Amino acid sequence: MQCVPEHTGETRNEKLQRNLGELLQELRVAQAGVQILFGFLLSVVFTDRFHDASGFEKALHLSAVTLAVAATALLTAPAAWHRLLFRTGSRERILTVGNRLVLVGLVCLALAITSTVALIAKVVYGGVAMVIMAALCLLIFGILWFVMPFQVHRNQPTGPPK
């Protein structure tokens, strides 16, 4: 597969600045979801029903909380890096590392959401529903977030645009 370089007429610095701005904008979308999920997970432990939960259910909840914390840290790190390294000439490094952090953060977010849905299914409908819902969540995230983008990229025509 051959990738065609993008010709936007921008200088290297302008392109880095635009790419960093796009990364930070994309993070705003993901961070909102993480914050809502994290708030929900934190509130669950203060309910009467949580105290009656099984050890497995409490462990599943803690794993969802841990994954949400990891997603929060990973998805906010590029913004923190940008702020700390602002005007140090580190844009390219921030983009490279930031992209990796975001990808791992998205995996943690998908797993946190999957764990939360599995926990809800377990409490409401039992173990079989938990397994089915977890599998469906993983399938949805896997296809939409990872398989389809690579499929689109692979089917992209190579060569100069016409």
Side-chain angles (χ1 to χ4, degrees), residues 7 16 33 35 46 56 66 104 111 116 122:
H7 298 288
L16 286 172
Q35 290 169 344
F46 298 107
F56 175 78
T66 303
V104 175
L111 292 174
T116 303
K122 168 75 169 73

Side-chain angles (χ1 to χ4, degrees), residues 18-79:
R18 177 180 54 82
N19 288 339
L20 186 57
E22 288 173 359
L23 175 66
L24 295 174
Q25 184 63 31
E26 291 165 0
L27 289 174
R28 288 184 183 99
V29 173
Q31 287 171 351
V34 172
Q35 290 169 344
I36 292 166
L37 176 64
F38 193 59
F40 165 75
L41 290 169
L42 291 178
S43 68
V44 166
V45 297
F46 298 107
T47 64
D48 291 333
R49 187 149 186 199
F50 183 78
H51 298 290
D52 297 331
S54 71
F56 175 78
E57 292 164 349
K58 289 179 180 178
L60 188 55
H61 176 267
L62 184 59
S63 70
V65 169
T66 303
L67 287 163
V69 168
T72 300
L74 290 161
L75 293 172
T76 57

Side-chain angles (χ1 to χ4, degrees), residues 59-128:
L60 188 55
H61 176 267
L62 184 59
S63 70
V65 169
T66 303
L67 287 163
V69 168
T72 300
L74 290 161
L75 293 172
T76 57
W81 280 47
H82 177 257
R83 189 51 33 212
L84 290 168
L85 300 174
F86 184 64
R87 294 188 179 158
T88 63
S90 303
R91 278 192 187 121
E92 188 167 3
R93 189 71 182 141
I94 294 168
L95 277 169
T96 301
V97 174
N99 185 60
R100 291 180 187 137
L101 293 171
V102 168
L103 291 174
V104 175
L106 288 173
V107 169
C108 287
L109 176 58
L111 292 174
I113 292 170
T114 298
S115 298
T116 303
V117 170
L119 175 61
I120 292 167
K122 168 75 169 73
V123 170
V124 176
Y125 295 108
V128 173

